[in-house]
């Protein structure tokens, strides 16, 4: 027998615990993607329970259904157009007043809605007593208590949802927001007017439509035009009459009056259902904030957290990194000894394993970095970071909200740039997009770890931290510069939401971390694999090279000569072999490309190998490491027992700590990868800004690396 399927949408304010409950219900069976056409994350999962196939959708977190932000539009459209069987509104019970706005709007929408009073534990600990039965009665909606992070009440929630979905009774019209008399009169008149003019199968609730039209809701106006073409003009004219009438009556736009009345209605509900005990616990969040957002110590603490993040990423990551690295070496030794010599073996060992292998070992570091970002997000600290940065952001004429995309840029510029969609002003958006790539993304981390680890071993964590800070400084300078030239004008005002602090939940941290790291693994199998093969091809061809001397002959000479000791012989031969390898690389296609562009990089202390590696980084930044791995490859067949082959090769090359630093600075600032460029193009909708971003970042990178390298030489560093 086929099981019946039920679609359940989870709605709610940001941070109300939607995703937690979603994860509780769906476990690991979930799909993460984007809502069509926009970049808001869409989570979907399905599970079979109680004899039903349940399809669960995690809607974007919103405070209302007024279609101002993209999240609100997405959430509302889903409820309207996809008609889920049940909508569960996850309500933060410790913050009921704020949550009820969305709840009443959902109630007005005429869908089957049920309330989950989540954070029941927090409400309880603050001494807030909620009369759920009363709430249920007042709004005629089933109400269930849940504690998402303890997985409490979820069974009851699901069973209630199924019962609601199966109930055939029509939703009672009486328990809805009631407006004042004039507004109600207009609503019902308009309602009748519309009813007579639209088709029988008009898809939306008529009262709701009338309310939205009175509120001048752009999307509903558009729908009316689509669904009742010939009558729409008449309807909209009638709407105008009513709006004018209400305007003259209240001396204020109807939408403002109606919002006020909704809040009044909510205040009334709150009075009825909440009892706050007098021994109200002191709000712990506020106490934590006294410290963490303190004017004097807040910022140093923030810097400390970030420093700890990078220090841990580097130190704790180095152990699993070594295991992975010996694993990769073990694999290539096995293959080197067991496979017969051939072109394919060369490709596999020196192309694929040297390339992908040198990047994959950074997976632990990336996992740790994303784990920290997940902690910041889940505890609510991210919003504080934005708040702390608000003042600094104002220096560049942006507000703290722009800092969230920038912080996300530490992970990956692509979602970071997409996250700028939450900014209202177009100027703010483009400016934020232009400065976000300076926030060093996780793909660049392997490069820093390799170079800093090789040349600054003891202070690697601090060096990497400074590189990140340099990125932030450059984005601030850039912002300041552009704000006073290209983007004149004031920033849009806004209020920063500071959600309460919460202890993070391991399960959700891991899911967050994993969601993002998956991208890294996908890249491994895709673009990095292909990139490595191409880089290797370019180094392996042309096959027949005119060497400056006959190496084999020389080697034979040494072998047969009697004027050397065995040890000297071996050393001399190794040296010759390395020279041969170096000459082969120099005369390969890659070498030729490198030699051609090398003059550009010479003033910043980067040799031809570094130059080509940087060039390949255009595809994806991780490939810089693969390229270095391939270009600097020590003789794999002989030194595979040496776990730090690439490190040693770098140390014995001409690269110095100073030129490594210059290389890192260049990598930090130069043009973003293809995926980011494509995103910039799409999000700015302008080729001009895209090209501008490429040229600007690369010039800045060169200039900064020049200062580092030449400046370092002047003060006597090497
Ligand atoms: P969303 O933004 O609505 O998806 O919220 P999340 O599911 O990401 O939850 C935000 C934070 O609240 C997480 O740190 C959760 O662990 C925490 N959380 C979720 N439900 C509860 C709850 O019932 N009680 C408490 N104390 N914390 C919760
Ligand atoms: Mg969420």
């Amino acid at each position: 027998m086929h099981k019946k399927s039920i679609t359940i949408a989870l709605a709610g304010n940001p941070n109300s615990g939607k995703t937690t409950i979603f994860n509780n219900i769906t476990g690991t069976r979930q799909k993460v993607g984007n809502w069509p056409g926009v970049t808001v994350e869409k989570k979907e999962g399905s599970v079979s329970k109680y004899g039903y196939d349940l399809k669960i959708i995690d809607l974007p977190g919103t405070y209302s259904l007024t279609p101002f932000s993209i999240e609100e539009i997405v959430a509302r459209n889903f409820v309207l157009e996809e008609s889920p069987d049940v909508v569960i509104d996850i309500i933060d019970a410790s913050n009921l007043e704020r949550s009820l706005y969305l709840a009443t709007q959902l109630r007005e929408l005429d869908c089957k809605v049920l309330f989950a009073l989540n954070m029941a534990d927090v409400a309880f600990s603050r001494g807030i007593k909620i009369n759920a039965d009363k709430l249920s009665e007042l709004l005629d909606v089933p109400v269930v208590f849940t504690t998402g992070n303890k997985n409490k009440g979820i069974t009851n929630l699901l069973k209630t949802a199924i019962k609601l979905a199966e109930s055939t009774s029509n939703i009672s019209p009486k328990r809805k927001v009631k407006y004042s008399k004039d507004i109600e009169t207009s609503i019902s008149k308009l309602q009748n007017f519309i009813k007579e003019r639209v088709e029988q199968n008009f898809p939306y609730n008529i009262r709701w439509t009338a309310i939205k039209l009175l509120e001048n809701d752009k999307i509903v106006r558009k729908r009316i035009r689509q669904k009742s073409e010939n009558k729409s003009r008449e309807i909209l004219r009638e709407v105008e009459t009513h709006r004018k009438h209400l305007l003259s009556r209240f001396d204020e736009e109807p939408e403002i009056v109606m919002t006020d009345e909704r809040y009044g209605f909510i205040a009334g509900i709150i009075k009825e259902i909440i009892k706050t005990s007098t021994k109200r616990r002191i709000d712990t969040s506020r106490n934590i904030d006294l410290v963490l957002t303190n004017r004097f110590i807040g910022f140093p603490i923030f810097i400390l957290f970030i420093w700890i993040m990078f220090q841990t990423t580097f130190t704790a990551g180095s152990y699993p990194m070594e295991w992975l690295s010996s694993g990769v070496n073990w694999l290539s030794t096995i293959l080197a000894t067991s496979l017969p010599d051939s072109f394919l073996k060369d490709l596999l060992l020196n192309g694929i394993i040297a390339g992908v292998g040198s990047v994959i070992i950074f997976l632990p570091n990336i996992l740790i970095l994303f784990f920290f970002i997940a902690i910041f997000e889940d505890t609510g600290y991210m919003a504080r970071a934005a708040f702390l940065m608000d003042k600094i952001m104002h220096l560049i004429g942006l507000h703290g909200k722009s800092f969230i995309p920038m912080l996300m840029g530490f992970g990956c510029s692509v979602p970071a740039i997409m996250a700028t969609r939450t900014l209202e002003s177009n100027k703010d958006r483009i400016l934020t997009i232009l400065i976000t790539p300076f926030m060093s993304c996780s793909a660049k981390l392997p490069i820093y770890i390799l170079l800093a680890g090789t040349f600054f071993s003891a202070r690697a964590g601090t060096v990497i931290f400074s590189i990140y800070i340099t990125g932030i400084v450059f984005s601030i300078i850039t912002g300041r510069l552009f704000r006073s030239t290209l983007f004149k004008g004031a920033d849009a005002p806004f209020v920063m939401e500071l959600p309460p602090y919460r202890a993070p939940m391991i399960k959700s941290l891991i899911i967050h971390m994993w969601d993002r790291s998956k991208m890294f693994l996908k890249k491994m199998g895709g673009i990095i694999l292909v990139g490595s093969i191409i880089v290797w091809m370019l180094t392996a061809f042309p096959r027949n090279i005119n060497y400056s001397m006959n190496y084999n002959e020389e080697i034979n000479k040494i072998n047969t000569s009697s004027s050397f000791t065995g040890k000297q012989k071996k050393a001399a031969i190794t040296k010759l072999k390395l020279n041969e390898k170096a000459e082969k690389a120099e005369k390969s296609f890659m070498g030729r490309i490198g030699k051609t562009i090398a003059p550009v990089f010479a003033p910043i202390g980067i040799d031809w190998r570094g130059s080509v590696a940087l060039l390949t980084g255009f595809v994806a930044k991780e490939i810089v490491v693969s390229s270095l791995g391939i270009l600097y490859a020590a003789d794999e067949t002989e030194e595979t027992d040496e776990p730090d082959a690439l490190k040693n090769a770098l140390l014995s090359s001409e690269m110095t700590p100073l030129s490594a630093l210059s290389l890192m600075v260049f990598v930090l600032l130069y043009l973003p990868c293809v995926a980011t460029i494509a995103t910039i193009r799409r999000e700015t909708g302008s080729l001009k800004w895209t090209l501008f971003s490429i040229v600007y970042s690369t010039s800045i990178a060169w200039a900064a690396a020049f200062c580092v390298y030449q400046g370092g030489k002047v003060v006597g560093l090497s």
Side-chain angles (χ1 to χ4, degrees):
M1 203 184 81
H2 223 65
K3 277 193 261 182
K4 194 165 173 210
S5 76
I6 293 182
T7 307
I8 301 176
L10 303 181
N13 293 0
N15 279 304
S16 58
K18 271 183 302 89
T19 306
T20 309
I21 290 182
F22 175 84
N23 290 338
N24 283 340
I25 301 175
T26 60
T28 49
R29 290 163 297 257
Q30 38 178 277
K31 225 172 58 200
V32 185
N34 274 345
W35 291 92
V38 294
T39 46
V40 177
E41 186 177 88
K42 179 180 192 184
K43 279 197 162 188
E44 246 185 270
S46 38
V47 64
S48 283
K49 264 196 183 145
Y50 319 118
Y52 293 88
D53 279 329
L54 305 178
K55 187 171 160 211
I56 321 281
I57 316 276
D58 190 10
L59 293 177
T62 60
Y63 292 105
S64 85
L65 292 180
T66 321
F68 286 141
S69 74
I70 204 94
E71 282 82 8
E72 288 163 343
I73 294 175
V74 165
R76 192 174 91 175
N77 277 355
F78 185 83
V79 177
L80 276 178
E81 312 291 341
E82 313 281 323
S83 318
D85 298 299
V86 182
V87 178
I88 300 182
D89 182 15
I90 314 277
I91 289 178
D92 177 351
S94 65
N95 226 324
L96 201 56
E97 188 150 11
R98 189 172 71 186
S99 315
L100 281 181
Y101 194 76
L102 176 68
T104 48
Q105 285 197 321
L106 280 168
R107 190 63 191 82
E108 283 186 314
L109 245 182
D110 219 21
C111 51
K112 285 185 177 174
V113 62
L114 115 85
F115 294 166
L117 289 175
N118 194 37
M119 311 272 176
D121 56 331
V122 182
F124 181 77
S125 75
R126 290 199 195 152
I128 304 171
K129 265 214 190 96
I130 301 171
N131 186 340
D133 293 340
K134 195 68 179 269
L135 176 63
S136 170
E137 189 195 314
L138 285 176
L139 283 171
D140 198 15
V141 164
V143 178
V144 174
F145 278 109
T146 58
T147 303
N149 58 344
K150 305 245 166 60
N151 205 355
K152 268 196 219 153
I154 308 296
T155 312
N156 188 11
L157 180 68
L158 279 182
K159 285 190 174 154
T160 314
I162 292 171
K163 207 167 105 202
L164 183 61
E166 289 290 31
S167 72
T168 45
S169 75
N170 269 341
I171 308 147
S172 70
K174 51 181 197 291
R175 312 279 188 189
K176 284 182 181 168
V177 188
K178 275 264 185 291
Y179 299 91
S180 54
K181 199 156 152 273
D182 292 280
I183 294 179
E184 283 295 340
T185 314
S186 281
I187 292 174
S188 63
K189 274 190 191 158
L190 195 54
Q191 214 175 327
N192 290 334
F193 192 89
I194 296 170
K195 207 180 287 165
E196 283 160 19
R197 282 167 184 80
V198 293
E199 313 274 314
Q200 272 288 295
N201 58 357
F202 185 72
Y204 312 126
N205 176 290
I206 305 273
R207 179 180 157 93
W208 181 81
T209 309
I211 292 174
K212 290 297 132 184
L213 286 173
L214 285 176
E215 287 185 309
N216 210 13
D217 185 303
K218 296 238 159 42
I219 295 180
V220 175
R221 285 172 67 96
K222 204 163 108 197
R223 288 295 140 81
I224 280 283
R225 263 182 246 122
Q226 286 163 353
K227 304 268 176 195
S228 60
E229 279 165 40
N230 40 355
K231 297 286 167 60
S232 67
R233 203 166 290 166
E234 228 179 299
I235 295 177
L236 292 179
R237 215 179 302 129
E238 180 72 8
V239 170
E240 253 344 281
T241 325
H242 282 288
R243 278 179 57 83
K244 282 224 183 77
H245 165 71
L246 290 174
L247 189 65
S248 68
R249 181 70 193 69
F250 291 97
D251 207 22
E252 206 139 28
E253 305 284 339
E255 52 270 36
I256 295 178
V257 180
M258 290 163 89
T259 306
D260 279 351
E261 294 195 355
R262 241 177 247 137
Y263 276 118
F265 178 76
I266 291 168
I269 298 181
I270 297 280
K271 273 221 185 72
E272 295 275 335
I273 63 168
I274 281 196
K275 274 211 189 70
T276 311
S277 79
T278 41
K279 282 201 313 294
R280 182 175 176 161
R281 279 229 205 147
I282 312 156
D283 192 342
T284 27
S285 269
R286 200 163 298 161
N287 273 346
I288 300 176
D289 267 344
L290 283 181
V291 180
L292 290 188
T293 58
N294 179 282
R295 280 200 307 155
F296 302 105
I297 56 172
F299 196 72
I301 293 179
F302 168 60
I303 298 284
L304 178 73
F305 282 158
I306 303 275
W307 182 79
I308 292 174
M309 165 165 102
F310 289 119
Q311 200 60 34
T312 317
T313 302
F314 187 74
T315 47
S318 65
Y319 302 100
M321 180 173 136
E322 255 160 43
W323 306 331
L324 270 179
S325 158
S326 14
V328 170
N329 283 319
W330 174 82
L331 180 68
S332 55
T333 319
I334 296 275
L335 291 177
T337 47
S338 61
L339 291 179
D341 274 341
S342 69
F343 174 75
L344 273 180
K345 175 180 173 181
D346 199 12
L347 170 68
L348 188 64
L349 277 180
N350 300 324
I352 296 174
I353 295 183
V356 177
S358 53
V359 181
I360 196 122
I361 58 175
F362 296 102
L363 179 65
N365 304 94
I366 287 179
L367 286 175
I368 296 174
L369 180 69
F370 280 131
F371 188 72
F372 271 93
I373 292 183
I375 292 184
F376 289 160
E377 280 187 329
D378 283 15
T379 52
Y381 188 69
M382 196 70 131
R384 269 73 186 184
F387 177 78
L388 283 171
M389 288 303 287
D390 198 43
K391 275 206 202 80
I392 295 183
M393 296 300 287
H394 275 293
L395 288 180
I396 54 175
L398 284 171
H399 45 62
K401 214 171 172 185
S402 286
F403 190 65
I404 292 184
M406 289 170 68
L407 252 188
M408 284 175 66
F410 283 149
C412 173
S413 303
V414 172
I417 287 171
M418 288 173 171
T420 58
R421 291 187 176 195
T422 54
L423 303 174
E424 287 84 18
S425 137
N426 202 37
K427 270 187 190 169
D428 289 2
R429 280 195 53 199
I430 294 187
L431 185 52
T432 310
I433 289 175
L434 289 177
I435 63 181
T436 296
F438 288 143
M439 308 304 286
S440 191
C441 74
S442 64
K444 295 175 184 169
L445 187 61
I447 310 175
Y448 307 145
I449 294 177
L450 173 68
L451 294 176
T454 305
F455 292 98
F456 301 91
S457 49
R459 282 164 294 153
T462 313
V463 168
I464 295 176
F465 171 69
S466 322
I467 291 282
Y468 275 82
I469 295 292
T470 309
I472 300 179
V473 170
F474 267 95
S475 66
I476 290 176
I477 295 174
T478 302
R480 175 89 216 148
L481 179 71
F482 289 176
R483 186 50 114 183
S484 52
T485 52
L486 301 171
F487 299 95
K488 283 204 181 123
D491 44 341
F494 90 117
V495 179
M496 183 83 69
E497 263 293 324
L498 292 182
Y501 285 103
R502 304 231 163 79
M505 234 169 74
I506 278 292
K507 190 170 158 193
S508 101
L509 285 181
I510 289 180
I511 290 178
H512 277 153
M513 172 187 80
W514 185 241
D515 272 354
R516 299 198 170 121
S517 308
K518 263 197 304 215
M519 224 165 67
F520 177 78
L521 286 178
K522 271 194 200 141
K523 254 186 180 173
M524 279 299 120
I527 201 151
I528 293 182
L529 178 66
V530 174
S532 296
I533 293 177
I534 292 174
V535 172
W536 175 80
M537 289 282 205
L538 289 174
T539 37
F541 289 94
R543 281 313 237 188
N544 32 19
I545 289 172
N546 282 327
Y547 287 105
S548 59
M549 61 168 137
N550 190 335
Y551 285 100
N552 282 338
E553 213 166 79
E554 290 291 315
I555 290 173
N556 279 338
K557 255 190 226 160
I558 293 173
N559 266 331
T560 49
S561 132
S562 53
S563 54
F564 287 114
T565 66
K567 212 173 176 188
Q568 279 173 328
K569 258 187 201 171
K570 199 167 171 233
I573 291 175
T574 313
K575 187 148 179 271
L576 273 174
K577 277 195 175 159
L578 282 178
N579 284 349
E580 179 183 8
K581 221 176 136 68
E583 193 176 342
K584 183 171 164 226
E586 268 184 69
K587 293 193 171 160
S588 67
F589 288 126
M590 197 53 123
R592 289 182 214 170
I593 299 174
K595 287 269 150 93
T596 317
I597 59 171
V600 180
F601 292 95
I604 58 174
I606 296 172
D607 71 348
W608 69 268
R609 288 190 186 86
S611 315
V612 257
L614 287 172
L615 206 61
T616 57
F618 170 63
V619 180
K621 300 288 149 146
E622 294 97 332
I623 295 187
V624 173
V625 171
S626 327
S627 301
L628 291 174
I630 294 167
L631 290 166
Y632 279 103
D635 209 335
E636 295 284 346
T637 42
E638 284 183 13
E639 291 187 40
T640 34
D641 52 329
E642 174 60 68
D644 291 326
L646 179 52
K647 256 188 176 177
N648 288 336
L650 283 173
L651 278 174
S652 60
S653 76
E654 279 155 28
M655 203 182 277
T656 62
L658 184 61
S659 57
L661 193 61
S662 160
L663 182 57
M664 283 190 270
V665 169
F666 192 83
V667 164
L668 167 73
L669 302 170
Y670 86 129
L671 79 146
C673 68
V674 167
T676 306
I677 292 173
T679 314
I680 296 179
R681 168 81 182 85
R682 206 175 52 224
E683 297 295 313
T684 57
S686 138
L687 193 60
K688 192 186 87 189
W689 283 123
T690 314
L691 292 177
F692 178 80
S693 165
I694 295 174
V695 172
Y696 175 77
S697 54
T698 311
S699 333
I700 286 288
W702 196 90
F706 184 83
C707 294
V708 166
Y709 186 66
Q710 300 297 344
K713 275 204 335 205
V714 167
V715 300
L717 300 174
S718 63

